[in-house]
């Protein structure tokens, strides 16, 4: 308690000295607010020490985080399939694209009337790489 009282007295002395050193007219209200807050914080110091274990008073429950990575991967796969189907349509080719992620990225174009052209068009969009496998299949004959 003696230490707290001494700290409070020193805060008041420092606040008074600060007020004497600062210009009066322009910043008088601002300086008084800052000094009052400084003294208030000093007065409340024992309360802060008493509640230093604030988190232990109300233990927070661990909330389970939701993992959206699978949903995101599905959206990315769907967007890639749509982009590749649009690239085929721009070349005048039909076909349904199926993408399988993972090393390697496997792109299969089914129902293409010209599988070689479809494979070339997909390769232009996806680029060259060892991690990309492209398959183009002709239309199925229903058997």
């Amino acid at each position: 308690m003696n230490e707290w009282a001494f700290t409070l007295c020193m805060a008041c002395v420092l606040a008074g000295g600060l007020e004497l050193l600062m210009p009066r007219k322009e910043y008088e209200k601002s300086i008084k607010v800052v000094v009052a807050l400084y003294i208030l914080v000093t007065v409340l110091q024992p309360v802060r020490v008493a509640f230093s274990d604030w988190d232990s008073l109300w233990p927070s429950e661990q909330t389970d985080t939701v993992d959206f990575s699978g949903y995101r991967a599905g959206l990315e796969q769907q967007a890639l399939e749509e982009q590749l189907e649009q690239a085929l349509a721009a070349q005048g080719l039909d076909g349904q694209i199926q993408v399988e992620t993972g090393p390697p990225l496997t792109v299969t174009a089914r129902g293409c009337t010209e599988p070689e052209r479809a494979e070339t068009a997909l390769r232009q969009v996806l680029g060259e790489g060892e991690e990309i496998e492209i398959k183009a299949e002709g239309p199925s004959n229903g058997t």
Side-chain angles (χ1 to χ4, degrees):
M1 189 66 159
N2 288 339
E3 184 179 327
W4 174 73
F6 176 74
T7 304
L8 182 61
C9 289
M10 289 305 295
C12 290
V13 168
L14 287 173
L18 182 65
E19 279 188 359
L20 289 174
L21 293 174
M22 292 295 172
R24 280 282 182 202
K25 300 285 182 196
E26 302 145 10
Y27 305 108
E28 185 174 3
K29 288 182 182 179
S30 300
I31 292 171
K32 285 191 178 194
V33 168
V34 170
V35 168
L37 288 175
Y38 178 67
I39 292 173
L40 183 65
V41 168
T42 305
V43 168
L44 295 177
Q45 186 73 13
V47 175
R48 186 190 66 85
V49 171
F51 288 109
S52 62
D53 293 330
W54 188 265
D55 292 336
S56 65
L57 293 176
W58 292 283
S60 60
E61 296 179 16
Q62 292 288 351
T63 57
D64 294 334
T65 57
V66 179
D67 184 17
F68 287 104
S69 60
Y71 178 70
R72 179 180 173 203
L75 287 177
E76 289 172 350
Q77 182 176 347
Q78 183 181 3
L80 180 59
E81 287 173 354
E82 290 174 8
Q83 180 183 6
L84 293 175
E85 284 179 2
Q86 289 173 359
L88 284 181
Q91 296 285 331
L93 300 169
D94 290 334
Q96 183 178 3
I97 301 295
Q98 180 180 1
V99 175
E100 295 176 23
T101 57
L105 174 70
T106 305
V107 177
T108 307
R110 291 197 164 94
C112 297
T113 54
E114 300 177 56
E116 294 81 21
R117 274 189 59 210
E119 191 171 325
T120 304
L122 292 173
R123 180 62 65 191
Q124 287 175 348
V125 173
L126 294 172
E128 297 293 327
E130 297 176 8
E131 298 294 320
I132 301 172
E133 184 178 319
I134 298 175
K135 301 175 192 173
E137 301 172 356
S140 59
N141 57 5
T143 57

